[in-house]
Amino acid sequence: MAVYSNEKPLASGEQLVDVSKLFGVIGRFKWRILILAVSSAILAASIAQNMTPIYRSTATLLIEAQQARAIKIEEVYGFNSAQQEYYLTQFEILKSRSIAERVFDELSLAGHPALQGKPSLSNKAKAYITSLLSPPKVAPVDSELSSALTHKRRLDKFSSGIQINPVRKTQLVNLSYQSSDPRLAQAVANAIGDAYIASQLDARLGITQKASSWLGGRIGELRERLEQSETRLEAFRAQHNLVDVEGVTALDARELERLNEELTDARSKKAKAEGFLALVRQFDQRDVSGLESLPEITSHPSVQNVKREVMAVERKYSELNKVYGPKHPKMIAVQAELLTVNNSLRQQINRLIEGIEKEAQSAARRLSSLEQQFSRTKTAFSSLGSVESDYRRLQREVETNQLLFDSFFARQKETEVTGDFDAPIARFTDRAVLPSEPVKPNKKLIVMLTFITTLLLGAIIALLQDMFNDTIKNTADVEQALAQCALGYLPKGHKKKNVQQRSLAYFDPKQRRYSESVRNIRTALSLMALDKPLQVIEITSSQPQEGKTTVSINLAFAFAALERVLLIDADLRKPSVGSRFNLPLYQSGLANILSRTATLDECIVKDVQEGVDVMPAGAIPLNPMELLAGNGLQSLLTELKGRYDKIIIDTAPVQAVSDPLLVAPHADAVVLVVKADHTRIPLVQHTLGQLHQAHARVYGVVLNQMKMNKAEPYYANYGV
C-alpha cells in the first residue's frame, strides 16, 4: 500500500513561515475573533463598572544620616550612614510588620469598614477550591487563639495596601497606601511616616539609656581597679625605697658611669707614676746629668725654672771667665752661685722624684678604693633591674586603668548630656493629601487591554486550530498533502436547501458559481483523457455524508450537455440516486441485472433530466459484494459502452464497505470526493492507498462543500 505524507520538502527560496497563509487563516476567522473581542470588552466594561474604586495617597519621607556613638570603641546603633546598606535597611524597616501593626493599632483599624469589604468572586472561588482540596479544619476552641488569627488576617489585609518606593539616587522614600476610603489612604500614608519616626526615636532612647546604665556600672569597676593599681605601685615604691626622677635605675646608672670614669683615670695615673719611677730607678740619684736627660723630668715646670737659673749662671761664669782669672772675687762669687744653683737643681729633682713616688702610692690607694666602690655599686645596680621591671609593670597597669577610666567617664558625661536629644532621623518633605481620583480600576485601560488581548488570543486560537486541523481545506491541501490532482471544487450551498435542490443545483440560475464549478471539473477530466477517452467514471468517497451522490448527479448533468450519459447507482447498501429523481422503490436496477432478474432496458430510466439516463440500484440484495465481484458487472459495462459516451457510477464510501474497490478495476477513471473542512488527511490517504491496491486509476480529487472564502479569487473578475 502506498504511503502518503502531508509534508512537502521546501523548495529553494521558499519561506519557512507562509505569512500570507497565516493572515489568510486569521481572515477566515476575523468575524468570530472580532465578535469574541467585542463581547469580552463589553463584559470587562460591565465588570469594571461594578468594581470598587481604589484611592492612593502618598507621603514623601527624607531619611537623615545619623552617627551617634556612646564610646569610641564601638558604635551604639550599629549603622554607618555613609554606606548604602544603611538606607536599604531603613527601607526594609518601613516595610516591616512592626510598623504596619503600630499604625493598625494607633488608628484602630480592626473594625474599619474599608477593611471589611465583601469578598470578590475570585476570592470566593479560591476559598471554595481550597476547601475542596484541603481537609476540613476544626475550629479553634481557644478564644485567644481565634482572636489572634482574626487579628493576623486583618493585619495582613491592611499590610497588602502599603507600598514603600525609594526614589533612586536620593534619600527620599515614597510612602503610599491604597484603600477604597480616600480619607483612610491619607491617614495611613502619614501614620506610616510618623510611626517610623517614633519607633526610631524610641529605639535610640532605649539604646542610649541602656548604654548610659552600662557605662555607669563599668565606671565603678574601673575606678576601683585604678585605685587598687595605684595602691600596689605606692607600696612597691616604699618597700624598695625607690626614687623615680628619670627612672628607678637612672641614679645608679649615672653613679656607676662616674665611678667607671674615675677608675679609668686612677688606673691611668697609677700606671704613669709607676712607669716614671721604673725609669728613674735606672739612674743614680746623684747622677743629675742622667736624670736631666729624662723628658719626664726636664718637662716639669719646677725643674725647667731651676735649669734656666743654672743656664743663666753658667753663661755669666763663661763671660766672667773670659775677663777675670780664677782667683778673682767675681769668679769666686760666680762659682759659688753656680754651685748653689746646681745643688738647687739636684734638690728639685729629688723632690720631684719623691713627689712622684708619693703620687704613685696615692694613686694605688685611690684605685683600690674606687675598685671596691665600683664593685659595690655594680652589685646594687644588678639587683635593681628586676625591681625596675616590676615597677614598670605596676606603673603601666596604673596608666592603662587611668586611660580607660577617663575615656568611660567622658563618654558617660556626653551620653548624659545628649541622652534627651530627640532629633528625628527622618522628616516629611510632603505629607499625604486627600486623593480626589481613584487609581484603579482604570476602566478604559481594562476594556482596551481586554479587547486587544482577546483579539490576540482569538488569532492565536485560530492559528492553533488551523495548525492542528488536519482536514482537507482547499485545493492546495489536495496537491500538497495528498499528492493528487485537484480536479476542482464545489462551493458550499445554503443549509436550507433540501436534497432535491442540491441534486439539481446545476440547473439553478441562482447558483451559477456551482454550475460553473461542475463544468470546470468536467473540463479537467476531459483534458486529462485526451489520449484515451474516459467512458466509465467511478465516483466514491472515504466516508458517508461527503456529497459523492450529489457530485455524481451534477457531473452527469454537465457531461450530458455534450455526450450521452448514463448514471449508475452502484451503492447497493444505501442507494439514493433513485430517490433523488423520485423513482419508485420497486424500480429495477443494477442489482436486478447482476442477479439476472430483469432486462437491461427494464433497469434503465430514460431522460430523467436533460438527456441523462439513470440506472438505480434496484432491489437491495443480501450479498451486494458477491454481485459486484462476479463477471456480470464487466459484461454489463461492456454492453453499456456501446450505448453511452459516459457512464458515471456512484459507489459506496471506501471506508464503509469494500464495494468501491470491486468496481474500481472496471472504471476508466476514479474520482474521489472529499468534503472540505471535514475529512481528515490520514483518512483520505488511507482511502487512496486502498484504491491503489485495488489497481484503481485515480484521476484526482473533487473538493466538495468548500467555503468560498477559501477558494481562489477566480470568479470575482467575472461577476459570478
Side-chain angles (χ1 to χ4, degrees):
M1 180 178 66
V3 179
Y4 297 88
S5 173
N6 59 357
E7 296 182 359
K8 183 179 179 181
L10 293 174
S12 177
E14 187 176 354
Q15 295 181 353
L16 293 176
V17 178
D18 191 350
V19 180
S20 61
K21 182 179 179 181
L22 297 180
F23 282 104
V25 172
I26 296 175
R28 293 200 307 269
F29 292 93
K30 61 180 180 295
W31 294 115
R32 298 181 187 178
I33 296 174
L34 186 60
I35 292 173
L36 177 62
V38 173
S39 302
S40 300
I42 294 173
L43 179 61
S46 176
I47 295 175
Q49 190 67 28
N50 296 325
M51 293 177 66
T52 303
I54 302 298
Y55 296 87
R56 177 191 297 162
S57 187
T58 302
T60 303
L61 202 65
L62 172 63
I63 298 179
E64 301 283 1
Q66 54 83 31
Q67 292 183 347
R69 297 173 181 266
I71 58 174
K72 294 183 179 179
I73 297 175
E74 66 176 340
E75 190 172 356
V76 171
Y77 291 101
F79 293 116
N80 184 1
S81 60
Q83 295 180 356
Q84 184 181 5
E85 288 78 4
Y86 169 77
Y87 296 103
L88 296 178
T89 303
Q90 301 308 310
F91 299 152
E92 292 301 322
I93 292 175
L94 282 168
K95 299 176 185 178
S96 65
R97 184 181 181 86
S98 61
I99 298 296
E101 188 170 7
R102 184 166 184 165
V103 174
F104 186 81
D105 294 337
E106 287 180 354
L107 298 181
S108 302
L109 301 179
H112 198 281
L115 299 179
Q116 309 294 328
K118 297 180 180 180
S120 61
L121 293 177
S122 60
N123 292 335
K124 289 181 178 179
K126 183 178 179 180
Y128 177 73
I129 295 174
T130 304
S131 63
L132 293 178
L133 297 178
S134 61
K137 298 180 179 180
V138 180
V141 180
D142 191 353
S143 59
E144 293 183 0
L145 179 59
S146 176
S147 176
L149 293 177
T150 303
H151 182 270
K152 179 181 180 300
R153 286 194 295 268
R154 293 176 179 175
L155 181 60
D156 291 340
K157 184 175 181 180
F158 167 73
S159 302
S160 62
I162 299 175
Q163 296 179 354
I164 308 298
N165 300 312
V167 181
R168 286 178 56 85
K169 297 183 179 180
T170 67
Q171 297 174 219
L172 300 175
V173 58
N174 293 327
L175 314 177
S176 304
Y177 186 73
Q178 295 184 166
S179 175
S180 58
D181 185 354
R183 293 183 178 83
L184 178 62
Q186 178 191 13
V188 171
N190 289 325
I192 292 173
D194 293 333
Y196 167 73
I197 294 173
S199 66
Q200 294 303 301
L201 290 176
D202 293 343
R204 291 181 61 184
L205 180 60
I207 294 175
T208 301
Q209 292 175 350
K210 185 179 294 185
S212 179
S213 176
W214 179 76
L215 287 172
R218 292 294 296 165
I219 284 176
E221 296 178 4
L222 292 174
R223 181 184 288 109
E224 182 179 356
R225 186 184 301 175
L226 176 60
E227 292 175 353
Q228 291 176 357
S229 60
E230 289 177 345
T231 302
R232 287 195 298 270
L233 179 62
E234 291 298 330
F236 185 82
R237 185 182 297 170
Q239 178 183 355
H240 294 278
N241 195 21
L242 299 178
V243 178
D244 188 4
V245 179
E246 296 180 359
V248 175
T249 60
L251 296 177
D252 291 342
R254 285 197 294 271
E255 179 66 18
L256 192 62
E257 183 179 1
R258 183 185 64 79
L259 290 175
N260 188 35
E261 292 177 357
E262 291 182 359
L263 185 61
T264 303
D265 183 63
R267 287 175 179 170
S268 176
K269 289 181 178 181
K270 179 185 177 184
K272 184 177 180 181
E274 290 178 349
F276 180 73
L277 291 176
L279 183 61
V280 169
R281 291 190 180 96
Q282 295 179 1
F283 299 93
D284 188 1
Q285 291 185 358
R286 292 174 297 180
D287 187 5
V288 178
S289 59
L291 294 174
E292 289 180 357
S293 63
L294 294 176
E296 289 80 0
I297 292 178
T298 57
S299 61
H300 198 274
S302 59
V303 175
Q304 289 181 354
N305 292 333
V306 176
K307 283 186 66 66
R308 283 195 293 270
E309 293 179 359
V310 172
M311 291 176 63
V313 174
E314 287 180 349
R315 186 169 52 255
K316 183 177 179 182
Y317 175 80
S318 177
E319 291 175 355
L320 292 176
N321 189 31
K322 293 178 181 179
V323 179
Y324 302 104
K327 301 294 186 176
H328 191 276
K330 290 186 179 181
M331 287 294 294
I332 295 173
V334 170
Q335 290 178 356
E337 185 179 2
L338 182 61
L339 180 62
T340 301
V341 294
N342 284 329
N343 291 334
S344 177
L345 177 62
R346 188 178 300 109
Q347 292 175 359
Q348 191 65 34
I349 291 174
N350 290 334
R351 283 196 298 271
L352 179 60
I353 293 172
E354 290 177 359
I356 291 175
E357 289 178 353
K358 292 179 180 180
E359 184 179 354
Q361 294 175 0
S362 176
R365 289 192 301 270
R366 186 170 180 275
L367 178 61
S368 177
S369 175
L370 288 174
E371 287 178 348
Q372 294 177 2
Q373 186 177 358
F374 182 79
S375 178
R376 290 193 301 270
T377 304
K378 183 178 180 181
T379 302
F381 183 79
S382 299
S383 62
L384 193 61
S386 60
V387 175
E388 184 184 22
S389 177
D390 295 339
Y391 178 80
R392 294 303 179 196
R393 178 177 55 79
L394 293 174
Q395 192 176 33
R396 284 194 301 271
E397 184 178 356
V398 172
E399 292 174 353
T400 302
N401 291 335
Q402 183 68 48
L403 180 62
L404 287 174
F405 176 79
D406 294 341
S407 176
F408 272 69
F409 187 75
R411 291 305 137 200
Q412 185 193 30
K413 293 302 180 183
E414 291 178 6
T415 306
E416 290 177 355
V417 172
T418 61
D420 57 350
F421 182 66
D422 57 352
I425 66 171
R427 59 183 175 86
F428 282 99
T429 58
D430 292 307
R431 298 190 73 89
V433 297
L434 186 67
S436 59
E437 296 292 334
V439 294
K440 58 182 182 180
N442 191 337
K443 300 177 182 179
K444 294 182 180 179
L445 182 61
I446 291 176
V447 174
M448 184 181 300
L449 289 178
T450 303
F451 182 78
I452 295 175
T453 303
T454 309
L455 282 179
L456 296 176
L457 183 61
I460 292 173
I461 293 175
L463 293 174
L464 291 176
Q465 182 178 354
D466 182 76
M467 182 185 302
F468 292 104
N469 183 8
D470 60 349
T471 60
I472 302 297
K473 294 177 283 296
N474 48 43
T475 55
D477 290 341
V478 174
E479 297 176 354
Q480 294 178 3
L482 302 179
Q484 293 293 324
C485 175
L487 298 175
Y489 63 88
L490 297 177
K492 186 175 182 178
H494 299 288
K495 293 183 178 180
K496 295 182 179 180
K497 293 183 178 295
N498 55 32
V499 176
Q500 297 295 336
Q501 292 174 333
R502 291 197 298 270
S503 300
L504 301 176
Y506 182 79
F507 301 106
D508 190 351
K510 297 181 180 180
Q511 300 188 52
R512 289 184 297 168
R513 180 173 294 178
Y514 188 91
S515 59
E516 188 65 29
S517 299
V518 175
R519 285 191 288 270
N520 289 338
I521 297 173
R522 180 192 66 185
T523 303
L525 286 172
S526 300
L527 293 176
M528 294 180 66
L530 293 177
D531 56 341
K532 181 181 180 181
L534 302 178
Q535 279 190 278
V536 181
I537 301 175
E538 179 185 355
I539 308 296
T540 186
S541 64
S542 299
Q543 57 187 0
Q545 304 300 323
E546 293 196 68
K548 60 178 181 55
T549 302
T550 301
V551 173
S552 300
I553 293 173
N554 286 277
L555 188 60
F557 292 155
F559 277 111
L562 304 175
E563 302 173 292
R564 294 175 298 169
V565 178
L566 174 64
L567 176 61
I568 299 177
D569 188 356
D571 188 353
L572 302 182
R573 312 283 182 163
K574 292 183 179 181
S576 60
V577 174
S579 61
R580 299 281 183 100
F581 292 102
N582 297 320
L583 299 178
L585 297 177
Y586 55 83
Q587 173 65 46
S588 300
L590 179 62
N592 300 97
I593 295 177
L594 295 179
S595 60
R596 299 178 182 180
T597 58
T599 62
L600 180 61
D601 294 333
E602 294 175 344
C603 296
I604 297 177
V605 180
K606 301 289 187 179
D607 293 328
V608 292
Q609 185 74 33
E610 296 290 336
V612 176
D613 295 345
V614 175
M615 180 182 289
I620 299 177
L622 297 176
N623 53 351
M625 186 177 293
E626 295 178 359
L627 289 178
L628 296 175
N631 296 326
L633 180 61
Q634 179 65 33
S635 301
L636 175 63
L637 292 176
T638 302
E639 184 177 353
L640 291 175
K641 287 179 181 180
R643 296 186 181 187
Y644 297 96
D645 298 318
K646 282 291 186 293
I647 301 172
I648 298 177
I649 304 175
D650 179 27
T651 60
V654 175
Q655 299 301 324
V657 293
S658 300
D659 297 356
L661 303 179
L662 299 176
V663 179
H666 305 294
D668 297 327
V670 176
V671 176
L672 183 63
V673 178
V674 176
K675 185 177 181 180
D677 281 326
H678 179 75
T679 310
R680 299 177 66 244
I681 293 176
L683 181 63
V684 181
Q685 290 176 339
H686 184 61
T687 299
L688 291 172
Q690 289 180 301
L691 291 173
H692 282 288
Q693 284 185 338
H695 304 287
R697 291 175 285 275
V698 180
Y699 267 58
V701 175
V702 172
L703 201 58
N704 190 28
Q705 299 186 27
M706 189 174 74
K707 297 179 181 179
M708 292 312 298
N709 56 0
K710 299 181 181 180
E712 293 79 7
Y714 174 79
Y715 298 100
N717 297 328
Y718 296 92
V720 296

